[in-house]
Amino acid sequence: MPTRLAIFASGTGSNFVAIADAIANDQLDAQIEVLVVDKINAPVVQRAAERNIPVFHLKYKDFATKELAEAALVTELQKYAVELIALAGFMRIITGTLLATYPNKIINIHPSLLPAFPGRHGIDDALAAQVSQTGVTIHYVDSGIDSGTIIAQQAVTIEPTDTITTLATKIHALEHVLYPATLAKLISHN
Ligand code: GAR
């Protein structure tokens, strides 16, 4: 049976598309049951609509606390019998409610070689720091910012001629291969 996947995203959705394409090409034995977004106008919503994938908009500000918002989210995820959660550019910290419900079942992708350059601007921060290499990390999610146990990592060389645009292009190209491949490995080991 394909693994029942939820993807959480806040932005463009290129990793969402990479995962959906890997599934369509039989490279990943999963099914995206639902896309969870915190911004209904994020371009990723259109990517889901094109594929007839349901979208759940979690309106954090409608809840008194993040824990209550996550409790509502858990109820929604349980409707879809979600087994695995992949964060793909979801720019919010996950708290205990969700972590306790899905222990070791929430995965994130980050555009740097963690623990270096966590946060929202991993690509820019690595370039600004003038390091010679950066990369992509896939890790389990914990309650910190890009801080859980690392599952997979791959490096990208920063050339002296690189700009934000050229470096981001290299990083995203690697993400789109590494994320589906890592999810496929995790799923096959279950
Ligand atoms: C990706 O580069 C991902 O690694 C990053 O957000 C981007 C989302 O792009 N995540 C983080 O920075 C997490 N701290 P996408 O919407 O095109 O998939």
Side-chain angles (χ1 to χ4, degrees), residues 28-189:
L28 178 55
D29 187 18
Q31 186 166 322
I32 304 172
E33 297 296 328
V34 60
L35 169 70
V36 174
V37 294
D38 57 341
K39 296 180 200 147
I40 199 63
N41 55 355
V44 66
V45 170
Q46 184 57 34
R47 305 284 88 81
E50 289 159 5
R51 291 165 176 78
N52 294 317
I53 293 170
V55 176
F56 179 68
H57 180 201
L58 183 59
K59 296 178 198 148
Y60 281 88
K61 65 176 172 45
D62 286 359
F63 298 88
T65 64
K66 194 176 224 181
E67 285 71 19
L68 286 171
E70 284 193 358
L73 177 54
V74 165
T75 302
E76 190 68 21
L77 295 173
Q78 285 174 342
K79 282 187 204 163
Y80 292 100
V82 164
E83 298 169 296
L84 187 65
I85 297 169
L87 274 50
F90 189 67
M91 298 302 184
R92 284 185 185 260
I93 294 170
I94 303 295
T95 69
T97 309
L98 208 58
L99 291 169
T101 312
Y102 295 97
N104 286 325
K105 297 291 179 192
I106 310 178
I107 317 296
N108 184 39
I109 185 163
H110 183 75
S112 75
L113 293 177
L114 291 172
F117 311 116
R120 287 170 179 252
H121 307 292
I123 302 174
D124 312 46
D125 292 347
L127 192 65
Q130 301 189 318
V131 290
S132 60
Q133 64 169 18
T134 183
V136 173
T137 302
I138 318 281
H139 64 96
Y140 289 107
V141 172
D142 65 10
S143 56
I145 299 175
D146 303 317
S147 59
T149 304
I150 291 169
I151 303 166
Q153 243 174 357
Q154 213 164 305
V156 166
T157 301
I158 303 182
E159 307 292 347
T161 51
D162 267 326
T163 62
I164 289 289
T165 309
T166 60
L167 184 57
T169 301
K170 288 193 279 188
I171 294 266
H172 292 312
L174 174 56
E175 287 188 327
H176 301 160
V177 176
L178 191 62
Y179 209 4
T182 304
L183 290 170
K185 266 189 209 160
L186 283 175
I187 284 170
S188 72
H189 291 162

